[in-house]
Amino acid sequence: MTVHTPIDSRTSGVPAWALAFTVIVLLAGGAYFGTNLGGENASASGTPEPSGGGFNAVAIMDAAGCQACHGPDLAGVAIFPSLLGVKDGPVSENLAQLFADYPDTWAELWIAGTDPATSDAAMRAGMPAFAGPPYSLSPEEIAAVVAYLKTLP
Amino acid sequence: MAVNPKKLRPYDTPTRRRVPLIPDGPDAAATVFLVAAIVWLVAATGIGVLWAGMQLFPDLLSLTLSVPTFSGTLEIVMSPATIGAGFWNAVVFGWLSNAGLGAILFITPRVLGQRLVGEQVGAAAAGLWNVGMLAGLTAIYVPSIAATGTLAEFPLPVDAVLLLALLLVNDVFWRTGMSARERAPYASVWFFGVALLGFTVLYAVGTLVPLVSDGTTFAALVGAAYARGLETVWVLGVAFGVLYYIVPRATGNALHSSGVALLGWLTWAVLAALAPLAALVDSSVPFALTQAGNAATIMLVVPAFLAIANLLLSLRGRWTLLLSPGTVQYAMVALAFLATTALLEALSALGSVRDLIGGTEWTVGVRFFAFFGATTFALLALTDHAFPRLLRRDWGGTIVTTATLWATFAGTAISGLALIAGGVVHGSLLQGGAAPEEIEATLFWANAVAGSGLGLVALGGLAAALNVFLMYTDGRRAEYAVGATAAASASAGQ
């Protein structure tokens, strides 16, 4: 059987202290809003806008979970290397040979998964998360991500 | 007249009472949700400990298993990404949502004076929700079937099951509300109504938007707002609803002011819906819209502090309850974390602070305070109050309750503070142009301390589960009679 003991309240009105507190904080919030409208949102897809048919590199990387391993600022965490500075080539030694063989497309190859003949399973699977679909990205999405990464310092 | 069973003919055999596959007794739905919630608390914090370990030693703990199947090979990936996703999903949809839905189905009939309409539907929803959760959590570790996005990693069939369960709970809640004889429902029901409806709409949006525009800026922005909305609308709404019920009920006092509760509900309902706009950070979104979200986040201190003041004033004359382990202690810790979270969220919304801590561990630390501090303690207060009434047994003793409280409190405080401090240091180092190696070395210790705190929270979760187990197996039978005052219940050993 349902226990029903109604909860009473001592008063049904709103005391002056509660009203004053509410008005003060709402006014402060309104003032913050009114005095901080001069800015502009940064592009979620990085600067400059990546090419690639309207794909958003940051959205793709966010969905694929890149920051989970490479850090929120993509500067690397523990064994997971930094993605900053890849405009000059890979920052990891294990990709040096790939860079030497394919200096223009090494990043796309690495993200997509390298040659099936490669002995290293992780390198063969590629990025992200060393796993297959749906974390794997389409060629257009990979192009957008690489274009964005190459804009980073 | 007594019947001698030996003289009964076969056709006289009394019909056996059929036990329905889906329980339909009073409080069946709330019981299933709340018992499952405790199990999920243990599972979620256990995954959390593994995740914390992976932050420190990812190379030691990451692994990929290949499982042969009829249609090829299935890869099971244990990486920081999959374990982290598993942790947050288990916390939000496993622990907090099970306990939140259980709280709604436990409290609503009690404040409306109306038995739940559709108890069996509610119990079926509880079953569906937990089967879906199990499937979804498993799928996260199998990238070939998982979806992507924060708190949106479950595959579509699992989302459909969870959405169906939510619709069933809505059906039960609203039908019960419509048939109640109370003309002016109590504050908790207002909060639950908005939170439940908001959760359902958010979940539907979070499921459907990636289907139509995956990988686009629009989908990413909606996904970010969805994740934030779950926090402000669902998790916070449940905490308010539970605390407004549990404090007056456990103290036996009247609520200080229903007017203040109504004011708090109105401001929360509007501001919680606006706050997720702060996540819409992109050049395609008008800056004023994003700033409206930030201003709403700042103003969310209003409902938080109105609730804290209202409930503290409701404690008048019953302060000694703070000295005994149990419901009131849990509720007071929840209020303390609610105040801290509201202030930290407001601080995070300020532009200069955002510039420093944006994208760092700070955000995770504040989320720890919100999830494991404010809402978890509110829900622990509810379970402390509800389980004796649901299982009709008394708690065995106070030692395990005290252990639950202190381990969870200390763990949440340590983890949250370490991550918040780590976020500030991280932001400062980034602004100072520090090398990645220096940032990594500095943050290692913050992550280590946060991980140890999460370990304490996991111990607290284990203690909570042990307490329920001991009560069920060894607790003294007790009935909480209709109309019993909360004070009498308190003296009966709650």
Side-chain angles (χ1 to χ4, degrees):
Chain A
M1 184 178 289
T2 301
V3 177
H4 176 225
T5 46
I7 299 173
D8 297 323
S9 78
R10 279 184 217 145
T11 167
S12 59
V14 180
W17 61 262
L19 212 52
F21 170 72
T22 305
V23 170
I24 288 170
V25 177
L26 293 185
L27 282 177
Y32 173 80
F33 175 67
T35 54
N36 286 277
L37 289 173
E40 180 174 309
N41 275 327
S43 169
S45 55
T47 307
E49 295 280 347
S51 56
F55 282 99
N56 178 322
V58 172
I60 293 166
M61 294 174 73
D62 186 41
C66 303
Q67 289 93 331
C69 292
H70 295 283
D73 50 1
L74 302 177
V77 174
I79 60 159
F80 300 105
S82 169
L83 299 183
L84 307 179
V86 294
K87 64 180 187 296
D88 303 320
V91 294
S92 308
E93 280 184 19
N94 65 330
L95 299 182
Q97 189 59 50
L98 188 67
F99 180 52
D101 294 343
Y102 304 96
D104 297 326
T105 55
W106 69 270
E108 285 86 344
L109 287 170
W110 169 234
I111 294 174
T114 52
D115 191 331
T118 307
S119 58
D120 183 334
M123 289 187 71
R124 195 169 60 239
M127 283 280 129
F130 302 125
Y135 285 161
S136 64
L137 308 173
S138 69
E140 293 80 12
E141 288 173 322
I142 290 173
V145 169
V146 171
Y148 170 60
L149 289 178
K150 287 184 175 175
T151 66
L152 299 178
Chain B
M1 189 175 77
V3 175
N4 182 353
K6 288 183 180 172
K7 291 192 174 177
L8 287 174
R9 298 288 182 271
Y11 46 81
D12 289 329
T13 306
T15 51
R16 285 186 185 166
R17 185 176 172 274
R18 292 173 68 88
V19 179
L21 181 65
I22 301 170
D24 61 353
D27 287 326
T31 307
V32 179
F33 269 122
L34 289 175
V35 170
I38 291 291
V39 176
W40 278 111
L41 175 61
V42 176
T45 49
I47 299 170
V49 170
L50 189 57
W51 177 60
M54 280 191 150
Q55 302 295 313
L56 303 174
F57 310 107
D59 48 338
L60 282 182
L61 298 170
S62 297
L63 63 100
T64 301
L65 298 172
S66 296
V67 180
T69 62
F70 293 114
S71 56
T73 309
L74 214 56
E75 300 273 324
I76 299 172
V77 179
M78 309 287 258
S79 68
T82 57
I83 296 286
F87 167 61
W88 288 113
N89 277 278
V91 169
V92 174
F93 299 122
W95 157 235
L96 296 177
S97 294
N98 260 304
L101 294 170
I104 290 173
L105 298 182
F106 176 82
I107 292 172
T108 302
R110 283 167 170 76
V111 293
L112 289 180
Q114 160 72 48
R115 203 189 145 180
L116 213 58
V117 177
E119 191 75 59
Q120 211 164 11
V121 177
L128 277 177
W129 183 268
N130 285 287
V131 168
M133 266 303 300
L134 263 178
L137 206 64
T138 309
I140 284 178
Y141 301 102
V142 187
S144 58
I145 54 174
T148 53
T150 307
L151 293 174
E153 291 90 346
F154 295 162
L156 187 61
V158 170
D159 283 333
V161 170
L162 295 185
L163 206 49
L164 175 63
L166 274 181
L167 289 172
L168 292 179
V169 175
N170 267 282
D171 170 62
V172 171
F173 175 82
W174 292 108
R175 274 199 294 150
T176 306
M178 296 297 176
S179 57
R181 60 173 183 265
E182 289 278 342
R183 289 300 99 199
Y186 182 66
S188 296
V189 179
W190 313 334
F191 281 101
F192 289 153
V194 173
L196 187 58
L197 207 56
F199 186 23
T200 312
V201 170
L202 278 169
Y203 203 90
V205 169
T207 301
L208 296 176
V209 168
L211 283 182
V212 292
S213 57
D214 199 18
T216 61
T217 302
F218 175 71
L221 292 174
V222 170
Y226 151 80
R228 179 77 182 124
L230 283 181
E231 202 173 326
T232 58
V233 176
W234 172 235
V235 176
L236 189 59
V238 163
F240 278 134
V242 167
L243 287 168
Y244 267 114
Y245 174 80
I246 213 73
V247 173
R249 188 60 99 210
T251 56
N253 282 349
L255 181 70
H256 177 72
S257 165
S258 60
V260 173
L262 179 61
L263 183 61
W265 174 73
L266 280 172
T267 50
W268 164 76
V270 174
L271 297 171
L274 290 175
L277 295 176
L280 305 179
V281 182
D282 184 61
S283 52
S284 63
V285 178
F287 188 60
L289 205 62
T290 315
Q291 283 296 73
N294 285 317
T297 305
I298 293 169
M299 291 189 269
L300 270 173
V301 298
V302 170
F305 278 85
L306 287 181
I308 292 163
N310 205 3
L311 294 173
L312 285 179
L313 289 168
S314 305
L315 264 175
R316 189 183 296 168
R318 303 286 291 163
W319 295 102
T320 50
L321 284 174
L322 284 174
L323 301 174
S324 52
T327 309
V328 178
Q329 272 192 349
Y330 282 129
M332 289 305 112
V333 176
L335 289 179
F337 273 116
L338 182 62
T340 314
T341 307
L343 290 174
L344 285 169
E345 290 279 17
L347 197 60
S348 316
L350 297 173
S352 51
V353 179
R354 257 194 342 266
D355 291 343
L356 177 68
I357 51 86
T360 69
E361 293 74 6
W362 168 291
T363 320
V364 185
V366 177
R367 199 177 301 146
F368 259 65
F369 278 171
F371 288 179
F372 288 112
T375 309
T376 288
F377 274 96
L379 292 168
L380 285 175
L382 178 89
T383 54
D384 193 77
H385 172 84
F387 273 127
R389 287 155 179 81
L390 296 174
L391 304 179
R392 295 187 172 81
R393 288 171 193 278
D394 273 337
W395 292 111
T398 58
I399 294 174
V400 188
T401 305
T402 307
T404 305
L405 186 138
W406 282 105
T408 313
F409 169 72
T412 305
I414 289 170
S415 300
L417 288 174
L419 288 165
I420 287 167
V424 173
V425 172
H426 192 170
S428 306
L429 288 171
L430 280 176
Q431 286 194 345
E437 296 77 22
E438 186 189 346
I439 295 175
E440 183 194 324
T442 310
L443 289 180
F444 181 88
W445 293 108
N447 284 332
V449 174
S452 64
L454 196 50
L456 275 176
V457 176
L459 285 179
L462 270 178
L466 176 70
N467 215 6
V468 176
F469 178 76
L470 289 177
M471 166 203 255
Y472 188 67
T473 55
D474 208 28
R476 187 164 50 90
R477 289 200 70 82
E479 287 293 338
Y480 288 83
V482 177
T485 64
S489 302
S491 63
Q494 75 166 326

